[in-house]
């Protein structure tokens, strides 16, 4: 339901798996919450509506399980067992079954039955503790980090189990997926520098035309390239990475003021010509028109997806 399980099985479908999405008679709630994501996550799948509380449902489930390799479920812990579709029950019909439970906090522990959604998991995991930009407080991403990250980890776990070649039970926690990413990025040091992962010259800035532009300056040679074509940054206070960080607030303000002096098109032309990492902040629809994506066949035509 919603994002994690459908995203996981969409990855598997893209890789060639035959996926049957089993929904309640009223449908996956995700159909109405974010319809566009429901369509993209459930492309290339077939759908079957079953009232799992019905006495006749078990016969249908048994027939499905006998001819399937993987079951993915996204209920709160304990719900699948009450419905008679838990791993111990279903493996009686297929001892090679790979069964993946995706839940907010996992099947065990004091938080196992706690309700939650992506923003809760990301916050509790440390993903909203530190800022993503030099002069801005932490903000939530438009992407459901834990849901999509957890769905990806679930797909990896399923593929590993398929490669192993025997039945398995997989317990995937969305909270732990977000925690893994947060710990990898920021470490577990309680005294971690909240700005250790960001740089004043690797940020988002507004241009004269109101469009937002990203600079990706990390390496010293990119900074030198930038200084050669943009005046006003030759001072000793910005000469090294350590000095740029130490004077980061001043540098960030100066960059913001400078970027507002030209349009985004002017900056793109100038910085591209001088080998400075730069890109506009685009919508997915705008990105889909880029020649780079078309050259690599990364975008399918609008009729290539088959929503349920």
């Amino acid at each position: 339901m919603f994002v994690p399980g459908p995203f996981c099985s969409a990855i598997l479908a893209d890789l060639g798996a035959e996926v049957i999405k089993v929904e309640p008679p009223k449908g996956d709630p995700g159909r109405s919450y974010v319809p566009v994501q429901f369509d993209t996550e459930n492309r290339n799948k077939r759908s079957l509506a079953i009232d799992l509380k019905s006495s006749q449902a078990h016969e249908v489930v048994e027939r499905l399980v006998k001819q399937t390799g993987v079951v993915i479920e996204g209920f709160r812990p304990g719900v699948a067992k009450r419905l008679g579709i838990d791993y111990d029950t279903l493996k009686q019909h297929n001892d090679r079954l790979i069964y993946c439970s995706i839940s907010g906090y996992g099947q065990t522990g004091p938080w196992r039955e706690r309700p939650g959604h992506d923003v809760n998991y990301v916050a509790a995991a440390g993903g909203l503790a530190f800022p993503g930009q030099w002069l801005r407080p932490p903000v939530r991403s438009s992407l459901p980090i834990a849901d999509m990250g957890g769905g990806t980890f679930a797909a990896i776990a399923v593929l590993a189990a398929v490669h192993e070649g025997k039945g398995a039970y997989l317990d995937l926690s969305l909270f732990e997926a977000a925690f893994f990413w947060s710990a990898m990025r920021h470490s577990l040091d309680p005294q971690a520098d909240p700005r250790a992962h960001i740089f004043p010259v690797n940020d988002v800035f507004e241009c004269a035309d109101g469009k937002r532009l990203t600079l990706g300056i990390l390496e010293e040679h990119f900074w030198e390239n930038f200084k050669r074509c943009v005046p006003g940054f030759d001072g000793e206070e910005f000469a090294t990475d350590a000095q740029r960080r130490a004077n980061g607030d001043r540098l960030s303000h100066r960059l913001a003021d400078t970027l507002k002096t030209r349009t985004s098109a002017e900056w793109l032309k100038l910085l591209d010509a001088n080998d400075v990492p730069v890109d506009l902040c685009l919508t997915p629809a705008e990105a889909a028109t880029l020649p780079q994506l078309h050259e690599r066949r990364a975008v399918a035509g609008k009729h290539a997806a088959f929503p349920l």
Side-chain angles (χ1 to χ4, degrees), residues 218-293:
L218 290 178
E219 295 88 345
E220 195 64 32
H221 66 276
F222 287 137
W223 176 244
E224 294 298 323
N225 292 349
F226 180 81
K227 288 196 304 178
R228 275 196 296 269
C229 63
V230 183
F233 294 91
D234 284 323
E236 186 64 25
E237 60 183 339
F238 306 140
T240 67
D241 178 66
Q243 289 168 305
R244 290 192 289 276
R245 295 182 66 85
N247 299 293
D249 289 2
R250 191 179 309 125
L251 175 56
S252 187
H253 281 298
R254 186 174 299 183
L255 285 166
D257 291 341
T258 300
L259 268 294
K260 285 183 179 178
T261 63
R262 303 189 188 195
T263 67
S264 57
E266 291 172 326
W267 282 120
L268 285 172
K269 182 178 180 180
L270 175 66
L271 298 177
D272 270 336
N274 285 276
D275 197 35
V276 176
V278 60
D279 271 295
L280 284 176
C281 295
L282 303 177
T283 67
E286 290 169 333
T289 67
L290 295 174
Q292 176 67 20
L293 291 181

Side-chain angles (χ1 to χ4, degrees), residues 94-296:
N94 182 349
D95 61 4
R96 295 176 63 83
L97 186 69
I98 296 167
Y99 188 110
C100 181
S101 292
I102 303 177
S103 62
Y105 300 99
Q107 300 296 307
T108 59
W111 283 10
R112 64 187 295 268
E113 294 185 10
R114 195 176 187 211
H117 279 293
D118 180 85
V119 68
N120 307 117
Y121 313 139
V122 173
L128 290 176
F130 304 128
Q133 293 181 251
W134 192 263
L135 291 177
R136 294 180 180 271
V139 295
R140 181 187 181 185
S141 171
S142 70
L143 304 177
I145 301 296
D147 285 353
M148 297 182 79
T152 302
F153 285 151
I156 293 171
V158 166
L159 292 172
V162 170
H163 180 72
E164 187 72 13
K166 58 184 180 182
Y169 178 73
L170 309 173
D171 174 4
L172 196 291
S173 160
L174 301 173
F175 166 58
E176 289 169 17
F179 173 71
F180 178 77
W181 280 12
S182 296
M184 289 287 288
R185 179 66 162 169
H186 303 297
S187 85
L188 299 180
D189 181 359
Q191 304 301 321
D193 178 357
R195 280 179 165 177
H197 61 293
I198 53 177
F199 301 81
V201 289
N202 187 67
D203 215 328
V204 182
F205 302 94
E206 186 175 326
C207 302
D209 54 1
K211 294 184 178 180
R212 291 179 303 132
L213 176 148
T214 60
L215 293 178
I217 301 173
L218 290 178
E219 295 88 345
E220 195 64 32
H221 66 276
F222 287 137
W223 176 244
E224 294 298 323
N225 292 349
F226 180 81
K227 288 196 304 178
R228 275 196 296 269
C229 63
V230 183
F233 294 91
D234 284 323
E236 186 64 25
E237 60 183 339
F238 306 140
T240 67
D241 178 66
Q243 289 168 305
R244 290 192 289 276
R245 295 182 66 85
N247 299 293
D249 289 2
R250 191 179 309 125
L251 175 56
S252 187
H253 281 298
R254 186 174 299 183
L255 285 166
D257 291 341
T258 300
L259 268 294
K260 285 183 179 178
T261 63
R262 303 189 188 195
T263 67
S264 57
E266 291 172 326
W267 282 120
L268 285 172
K269 182 178 180 180
L270 175 66
L271 298 177
D272 270 336
N274 285 276
D275 197 35
V276 176
V278 60
D279 271 295
L280 284 176
C281 295
L282 303 177
T283 67
E286 290 169 333
T289 67
L290 295 174
Q292 176 67 20
L293 291 181
H294 281 271
E295 175 71 22
R296 292 181 56 78

Side-chain angles (χ1 to χ4, degrees), residues 3-30:
V3 176
F7 186 68
C8 169
S9 51
I11 294 172
L12 300 177
D14 286 345
L15 294 174
E18 179 185 359
V19 179
I20 300 173
K21 179 176 174 63
V22 179
E23 302 183 58
K26 291 184 178 180
D28 181 341

